[in-house]
Amino acid sequence: MATLSVCQPQLGGFSFENCKRNAVLEAEVTKLGCNIPSARKTGTTICGVVFKDGIVLGADTRATEGMIVADKNCSKIHYISPNIYCCGAGTAADTEMTTQIISSNLELHSLSTSRLPRVATANRMLKQMLFRYQGHIGAALVLGGVDCNGPHLYSIYPHGSTDKLPYVTMGSGSLAAMAVFEDRYKQDMEEEDAKRLVRDAIAAGIFNDLGSGSNIDLCVITKGRVDYLRPHDMANKKGVRLIRPVYAYKQGTTGVLTKSVIKLDLEVVEETVQTMDTS
Amino acid sequence: MNTRGLRSQLKDSVPVTGMGPQVGAYGVQDTLRSGFSSVKNELLPSHALELSEKNFQLNQDKINFSNLRNIQGLHAPLKLQMEYRAARQIQRLPFLQSSHLALDTLKGNDESISFEGILNDPAQSEMMGEPHVMVEYKLGMM
C-alpha cells in the first residue's frame, strides 16, 4: 500500500491489493521458464439422479494438482443441510468454501423461518453468489435434496447458470458419465437400480478420464433419511504388499523316495562342575 | 421482462468512476496522504472484479430502494433511508472497532454470512489507522 496512513477503516472480503504485483511476478517467472504453483482442482466426475423416492448423488475421490494426484481419497459430496447435499467439481478450495458459506446461510435462514430448507433456496443463493463473482470462483456443483415439495436436482455452473433436470453430470468425466445415463436412465427407478446406475456412471468416468479415479462415493437422500456411503465401491484398490515374503516351500513339495535312520551311540567320558564367581 | 423498468434502474446505479487520482484540497493530487500517482495504476483496475466489488453494496441498495419506490411509493425508501442514517450514527470513534449491530439488523446482514465476514477480517488487519487522521477524515476536515 502506497498510503502513509489509513483514512478509512478496513473492510472485510476480497482484497485486490496484490493483483498487479502478482501479474508482474507471473510475467517474470514465465520469462525464466518456471511455473507458478497452480491451484488444486478436483478434475472430477460427479453426477446425480432422481429416482422414485429421492435423489442419489455420486462422486469419485481423486483431487489433482496439474498432472499429479494430490489427494487419493478426498470427499466431494458436501453437506448443505440435513436434507440437501451438494457435489463439487472445479477448484477444490472454491467448492468447499462456497458450500460451507451456503450451508451456514441456509442454517440461519431455516432458524429464522423455522422450516426445513428447500433445495430451490440453496440453488438461488448459490447462483446469486457465483454470478456476483462472474465465474472467477471456479465451482461447478450438483445440488440435490428432498424437501416438502419432493426430490429436486440442480446443476450449477461457475458463472451462475443453473439447470433443473432429472439427471445431471459435471466435471471432466461428465461426458463418460452422461453416456451411461443417457443409455440406461428411466423415470421412477427403484433405489437399488438408481444406486447401480450412478455407480456405473462414476465408474465410466473413473476408467475413461485421467482426472477422476480412486473410489466411488454415493449419497442417497430420501424423505427423512440420508445414507452417506463412503466408500461405496473401491474400484481402484492399491495392491497389498506381502509383509514377509514367503520363499519356503510347503511340506511334501519334493517326493521322498527312501528314508534310513542311523543311531549314534554316545558314552559319557568325563563330568566336571565349574563354579562361577558371580560377585 | 419489463425493459422499461430495467432502464429506470440502470440510470440510478452508481457510475463507474475508475480509480481516479485521489484529489485532496485545491483539486491536486494529495501526495502526502495517497502516495505517488501513476497513470497506469489509475486507468485500469487491477482485477476485473475490483470495481464491481467496491460498489456492490451501493448498487444493491439502489436496486432495492428503486424497487421499493416502484411498488410502495416514495415514502417507503425515504423512511428506510432515514432509519439507516440514524443507525449508522451508532458507532464508536472511527479508529476503534464498532459492531454496527443496529445497521446490520436493519439491513438483514445479521442473518447471512458472506466473504466479507470470513476473509480479510478487519480485526486482524496489519495496518493501524492513525487516530488523528481518521477522525479528521471523518469530520471532513482533511
Side-chain angles (χ1 to χ4, degrees):
Chain A
M1 289 252 315
T3 54
L4 300 165
S5 59
V6 181
C7 300
Q8 282 167 314
Q10 284 262 27
L11 293 167
F14 288 110
S15 156
F16 298 102
E17 283 168 15
N18 290 331
C19 285
K20 287 210 163 74
R21 176 205 74 167
N22 291 349
V24 168
L25 276 178
E26 202 175 329
E28 299 267 307
V29 165
T30 354
K31 243 193 302 184
L32 290 173
C34 318
N35 284 33
I36 50 167
S38 67
R40 180 191 296 197
K41 300 185 83 73
T42 51
T44 297
T45 310
I46 51 175
C47 66
V49 86
V50 178
F51 70 99
K52 202 170 65 170
D53 305 318
I55 304 271
V56 179
L57 297 172
D60 72 307
T61 57
R62 174 183 289 185
T64 53
E65 214 169 299
M67 288 287 119
I68 303 175
V69 173
D71 192 345
K72 290 185 278 276
N73 199 359
C74 77
S75 151
K76 297 185 190 175
I77 306 186
H78 308 285
Y79 165 89
I80 302 266
S81 84
N83 59 329
I84 303 174
Y85 277 73
C86 179
C87 311
T91 311
D94 289 347
T95 56
E96 270 200 51
M97 301 270 29
T98 308
T99 46
Q100 282 175 357
I101 287 180
I102 297 301
S103 166
S104 308
N105 274 333
L106 260 193
E107 173 79 12
L108 287 169
H109 189 257
S110 106
L111 284 170
S112 150
T113 57
S114 48
R115 287 188 175 95
L116 203 59
R118 298 195 193 189
V119 191
T121 318
N123 177 48
R124 188 142 296 250
M125 286 182 175
L126 279 165
K127 87 195 285 182
Q128 283 178 350
M129 166 184 277
L130 290 174
F131 184 71
R132 173 178 169 181
Y133 294 106
Q134 293 290 301
H136 287 272
I137 293 193
L141 308 164
V142 167
L143 176 76
V146 177
D147 58 21
C148 54
N149 288 342
H152 302 276
L153 185 66
Y154 292 89
S155 70
I156 304 164
Y157 291 82
H159 282 263
S161 61
T162 63
D163 285 311
K164 183 173 191 312
L165 293 166
Y167 55 94
V168 293
T169 65
M170 293 283 243
S172 56
S174 62
L175 292 176
M178 186 51 93
V180 175
F181 274 165
E182 289 285 358
D183 189 28
R184 286 161 43 183
Y185 173 77
K186 281 186 288 297
Q187 259 195 336
D188 290 333
M189 286 185 290
E190 294 297 330
E191 180 174 332
E192 284 311 310
D193 291 334
K195 277 162 73 170
R196 208 172 314 127
L197 179 62
V198 170
R199 185 248 160 236
D200 288 342
I202 301 287
I206 286 177
F207 289 121
N208 294 303
D209 174 46
L210 287 179
S212 322
S214 302
N215 315 326
I216 300 170
D217 289 349
L218 281 193
C219 184
V220 183
I221 311 175
T222 50
K223 199 171 179 65
R225 182 176 64 97
V226 171
D227 282 333
Y228 193 94
L229 305 161
R230 176 177 157 80
H232 171 66
D233 192 344
M234 306 191 78
N236 295 10
K237 207 175 190 172
K238 265 175 83 177
V240 180
R241 199 204 293 173
L242 290 171
I243 303 165
R244 187 174 49 84
V246 182
Y247 293 131
Y249 290 97
K250 277 203 311 259
Q251 282 253 350
T253 310
T254 315
V256 178
L257 293 177
T258 50
K259 191 159 121 174
S260 62
V261 177
I262 302 170
K263 203 160 180 286
L264 281 173
D265 279 329
L266 299 166
E267 54 180 83
V268 180
V269 174
E270 204 193 332
E271 204 174 300
T272 51
V273 175
Q274 236 179 4
T275 51
M276 218 169 27
D277 190 9
T278 54
S279 50
Chain B
M1 197 162 96
N2 184 9
T3 52
R4 197 152 50 101
L6 205 57
R7 201 167 2 117
S8 73
Q9 287 171 9
L10 272 178
K11 75 171 187 291
D12 280 333
S13 67
V14 177
V16 172
T17 52
M19 321 314 294
Q22 268 81 330
V23 279
Y26 314 115
V28 221
Q29 165 70 10
D30 201 349
T31 320
L32 181 65
R33 298 209 177 81
S34 41
F36 293 109
S37 64
S38 143
V39 176
K40 199 160 65 139
N41 280 349
E42 277 141 29
L43 268 183
L44 295 168
S46 45
H47 195 269
L49 286 178
E50 187 171 356
L51 284 175
S52 97
E53 280 296 299
K54 199 156 60 145
N55 297 329
F56 184 76
Q57 206 47 52
L58 290 168
N59 273 331
Q60 286 293 107
D61 288 344
K62 290 255 175 189
I63 293 174
N64 290 337
F65 282 136
S66 79
N67 271 338
L68 204 55
R69 176 191 180 157
N70 290 337
I71 297 173
Q72 292 187 13
L74 187 57
H75 75 97
L78 277 181
K79 283 191 189 156
L80 270 182
Q81 281 182 323
M82 188 187 75
E83 288 179 15
Y84 281 11
R85 198 166 286 217
R88 207 175 299 142
Q89 291 176 356
I90 308 172
Q91 55 172 306
R92 296 168 182 272
L93 289 169
F95 51 90
L96 294 172
Q97 286 284 319
S98 24
S99 70
H100 299 286
L101 190 61
L103 193 59
D104 276 348
T105 313
L106 265 182
K107 286 192 174 168
N109 286 345
D110 61 338
E111 285 183 350
S112 73
I113 188 167
S114 71
F115 286 115
E116 270 81 36
I118 298 175
L119 298 175
N120 208 11
D121 188 11
Q124 316 280 346
S125 98
E126 299 155 349
M127 311 236 328
M128 194 192 86
E130 220 230 289
H132 295 290
V133 169
M134 291 181 87
V135 174
E136 283 176 12
Y137 184 82
K138 179 141 196 290
L139 293 176
M141 295 187 331
M142 275 202 1

